[in-house]
């Protein structure tokens, strides 16, 4: 069995709570210099690569700048920081529900991504917490969609991250969500929805397709008033957009959903009106490191339930 290469620690510090990019040069290739490989790999950004090389912004494992003439060495690691995108600040706080020497549990608002990805880099929960708490090694044990609010678990020590991630992989975490959607008197609840969900790369919305179910959600009615209802959602699996897809399949899409039942146009940056009315309300699990039983509950409210006219009009958090 081929051993995985030992990954050296990064010689570059984080920037705004964001890790530098690490690149391992392939074992096979006809490149003569590091520059040739990076220019090809990051095309069409060859000019950016040249600028970074000239400025000494690409370094090796010892922190020494890589130059345009540095020879290509198979398996070599190099690091650099990407240019940070201009991001609209999400004007809602990330609340810390719990912090100890092993984990941090955050109660995230709508509209902010859990971890850096795509155009959302510094305006993410992970980057904010790393900066605000002074925990550069903080890592995410799981993720919530950017539009979903609620509880997210982070790990303090990188060597323990796998143990906490395995809780989610092995379905040892009790997760409870809350949603606001239309009230359908004819809908027979509670009900367990099972289907096969497929999410294709580059396609915004996931789809239910024929085949063996890979997604399961129990849907319960908590209460209703007029034409709106508050639902408890208990996912047994964790497919992309699972709760949103299953609520839509029942004929009660979650209020504020820009993808289900219809994909709407992109929302302009800075438009925080009418957030998706989906909240990760509860996280319960036995700590794999300490053995302690944890039960966390979000203090956030869904304002389409508590203040529908305000939610529909001013887009304040909730």
């Amino acid at each position: 069995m081929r051993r995985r290469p030992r990954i050296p620690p990064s010689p570059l510090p984080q920037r705004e709570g964001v890790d530098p990019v690490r690149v391992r040069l392939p074992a096979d290739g006809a490149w003569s210099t590091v520059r040739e490989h990076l220019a090809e790999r990051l095309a069409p950004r060859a000019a950016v690569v040249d600028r970074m090389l000239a400025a000494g912004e690409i370094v090796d494992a010892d922190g020494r700048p890589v130059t345009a003439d540095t020879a290509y060495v198979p398996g070599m690691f190099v690091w650099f920081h990407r240019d940070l995108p201009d991001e609209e600040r999400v004007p809602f706080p990330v609340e810390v529900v719990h912090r100890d020497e092993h984990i941090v549990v955050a109660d995230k608002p709508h509209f902010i991504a859990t971890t850096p990805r795509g155009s959302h880099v510094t305006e993410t929960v992970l980057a904010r917490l790393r900066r605000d708490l002074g925990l550069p090694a903080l890592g995410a044990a799981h993720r919530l969609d950017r539009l979903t609010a609620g509880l997210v678990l982070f790990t303090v020590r990188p060597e323990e991250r796998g143990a906490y991630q395995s809780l989610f992989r092995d379905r040892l975490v009790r997760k409870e969500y809350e949603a606001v959607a239309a009230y359908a008197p004819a809908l027979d609840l509670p009900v367990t929805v099972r289907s096969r969900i497929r999410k294709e790369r580059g396609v915004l919305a996931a789809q239910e397709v024929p085949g063996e179910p890979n997604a399961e959600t129990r849907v319960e009615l908590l209460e209703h008033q007029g034409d709106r209802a508050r639902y408890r959602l208990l996912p047994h699996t964790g497919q992309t957009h699972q709760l949103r897809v299953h609520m839509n399949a029942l004929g009660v899409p979650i209020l504020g959903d820009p993808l289900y039942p219809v994909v709407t146009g992109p929302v302009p940056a800075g438009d925080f009106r009418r957030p998706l009315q989906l909240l990760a309300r509860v996280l319960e699990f036995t700590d794999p490191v300490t053995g302690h039983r944890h039960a966390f509950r979000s203090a956030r409210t869904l304002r389409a339930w508590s203040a529908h006219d305000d939610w529909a009009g001013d887009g304040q958090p909730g």
Side-chain angles (χ1 to χ4, degrees):
M1 180 181 295
R2 180 181 297 178
R3 290 185 177 180
R4 293 184 177 181
R6 185 186 72 85
I7 300 176
S10 172
L12 294 177
Q14 292 174 352
R15 181 182 295 171
E16 295 293 317
V18 179
D19 292 323
V21 176
R22 183 186 69 236
V23 174
R24 180 172 183 255
L25 306 186
D28 301 321
W31 306 280
S32 60
T33 65
V34 175
R35 185 266 170 201
E36 289 181 5
H37 171 69
L38 292 180
E40 180 178 319
R41 182 168 183 164
L42 302 178
R45 297 171 57 85
V48 176
V49 171
D50 289 335
R51 175 184 60 77
M52 295 174 69
L53 289 170
E57 296 175 355
I58 302 176
V59 302
D60 64 14
D62 294 320
R64 295 174 301 202
V66 174
T67 69
D69 299 325
T70 299
Y72 184 94
V73 178
M76 175 182 177
F77 289 95
V78 298
W79 286 261
F80 58 89
H81 280 287
R82 294 187 185 272
D83 292 335
L84 296 177
D86 292 330
E87 298 180 62
E88 186 79 25
R89 177 164 177 80
V90 179
F92 313 128
V94 174
E95 306 291 348
V96 174
V97 174
H98 173 85
R99 177 183 177 181
D100 60 33
E101 60 184 317
H102 304 285
I103 61 174
V104 172
V105 179
D107 196 351
K108 97 172 187 70
H110 297 96
F111 298 111
I112 187 169
T114 303
T115 57
R117 184 176 182 182
S119 60
H120 305 285
V121 182
T122 60
E123 273 303 285
T124 58
V125 178
L126 180 60
R128 278 198 193 181
L129 291 179
R130 283 174 170 177
R131 300 192 301 264
D132 296 347
L133 302 181
L135 295 174
L138 196 70
H142 69 124
R143 293 176 176 83
L144 288 181
D145 289 345
R146 186 177 67 87
L147 299 183
T148 303
L151 299 177
V152 189
L153 175 66
F154 297 87
T155 59
V156 175
R157 300 173 177 175
E159 66 271 20
E160 295 175 352
R161 185 181 179 193
Y164 290 96
Q165 287 178 318
S166 69
L167 293 175
F168 294 89
R169 181 196 65 208
D170 298 337
R171 302 175 184 173
L172 298 176
V173 179
R174 181 182 179 272
K175 296 180 288 184
E176 179 180 318
Y177 289 73
E178 188 176 307
V180 178
Y183 174 54
L187 189 59
D188 188 15
L189 297 177
V191 65
T192 297
V193 183
R194 299 180 181 88
S195 68
R196 185 166 192 83
I197 295 177
R198 181 176 65 198
K199 175 69 168 62
E200 296 182 2
R201 183 182 296 272
V203 179
L204 293 177
Q207 292 184 326
E208 289 185 303
V209 297
E212 184 71 19
N214 62 0
E216 179 178 319
T217 307
R218 179 177 171 85
V219 179
E220 301 174 358
L221 177 66
L222 291 173
E223 56 182 327
H224 67 89
Q225 55 182 14
D227 59 355
R228 282 171 289 117
R230 194 163 63 93
Y231 297 89
R232 178 187 290 122
L233 311 179
L234 303 171
H236 181 63
T237 54
Q239 296 297 319
T240 300
H241 296 179
Q242 174 179 319
L243 302 180
R244 298 160 67 180
V245 169
H246 281 170
M247 288 293 283
N248 183 56
L250 291 175
V252 284
I254 299 171
L255 294 185
D257 198 326
L259 298 182
Y260 309 95
V262 178
V263 177
T264 60
V267 176
D271 185 349
F272 301 113
R273 296 174 298 169
R274 290 181 289 280
L276 174 71
Q277 294 299 278
L278 180 61
L279 173 67
R281 174 68 76 190
V282 173
L283 276 182
E284 296 180 358
F285 59 92
T286 298
D287 194 300
V289 176
T290 68
H292 182 75
R293 182 67 183 175
H294 292 296
F296 303 111
R297 186 174 183 85
S298 170
R300 297 186 182 276
T301 59
L302 292 174
R303 294 180 75 246
W305 179 256
S306 61
H308 180 268
D309 290 344
D310 289 344
W311 168 80
D314 64 18
Q316 293 301 307

